[in-house]
Amino acid sequence: MADIDAWVWWLIGAAALGIPLVITAMPELGMLSVGAVAGAVTAGLGGGAVLQVLVFAVVSCALIAVVRPIAVRHRNQQPQLATGVDALKGRQAVVVERVDGTGGRIKLAGEIWSARALDGDAVFEKGSQVDVVEIEGATAIVM
């Protein structure tokens, strides 16, 4: 085993960290894998074992400290483009059949929807404009 260069061992380590990355989708393993590649480069350039381990540690920690918070912030971000029923919330509709706390019908985005007033006592007559607050199943909740 002594005849295998240190940089090869670092690359084997990088691959060993990269495989679980693909299987588990843990980005931290990818950052450690990049650190191992940096250790391989250091070994290839003739750096000693202490320097190789130091480069591995510094690169891995730097990537985890910088990239991970960005990835977490990106993952928690709401989508910029609303689609499906989320795109209908907040839109205006026209009452086509009297809407009250028990039901009615509206024209929303070119389609006829069943609707119910958010406030059970509110009544919207035919032709009035209403705002869609929520969609529950196939019923628009309006005010």
Side-chain angles (χ1 to χ4, degrees):
M1 296 282 179
D3 57 344
I4 297 179
D5 291 333
W7 66 269
V8 175
W9 286 113
W10 281 108
L11 290 181
I12 291 170
L17 289 166
I19 292 169
L21 163 69
V22 174
I23 295 170
T24 64
M26 289 181 58
E28 291 84 1
L29 292 174
M31 296 173 211
L32 292 172
S33 181
V34 171
V37 170
V41 170
T42 304
L45 294 174
V50 173
L51 182 60
Q52 294 169 31
V53 172
L54 186 64
V55 167
F56 165 75
V58 168
V59 169
S60 297
C61 290
L63 285 172
I64 290 172
V66 173
V67 175
R68 191 171 185 281
I70 294 169
V72 168
R73 187 172 47 247
H74 181 71
R75 184 182 62 215
N76 293 337
Q77 202 173 36
Q78 294 295 323
Q80 298 294 326
L81 179 63
T83 59
V85 293
D86 290 332
L88 299 175
K89 293 177 188 174
R91 296 199 46 190
Q92 286 196 333
V94 177
V95 176
V96 294
E97 183 181 301
R98 182 176 185 231
V99 175
D100 56 23
T102 60
R105 297 223 177 263
I106 60 171
K107 186 169 189 174
L108 172 63
E111 297 178 349
I112 303 297
W113 282 72
S114 61
R116 181 170 38 92
L118 177 65
D119 178 9
D121 297 331
V123 175
F124 303 101
E125 297 297 334
K126 181 178 179 178
S128 21
Q129 293 268 337
V130 292
D131 293 321
V132 176
V133 178
E134 186 69 48
I135 304 288
E136 290 180 358
T139 303
I141 310 302
V142 299
M143 60 181 256

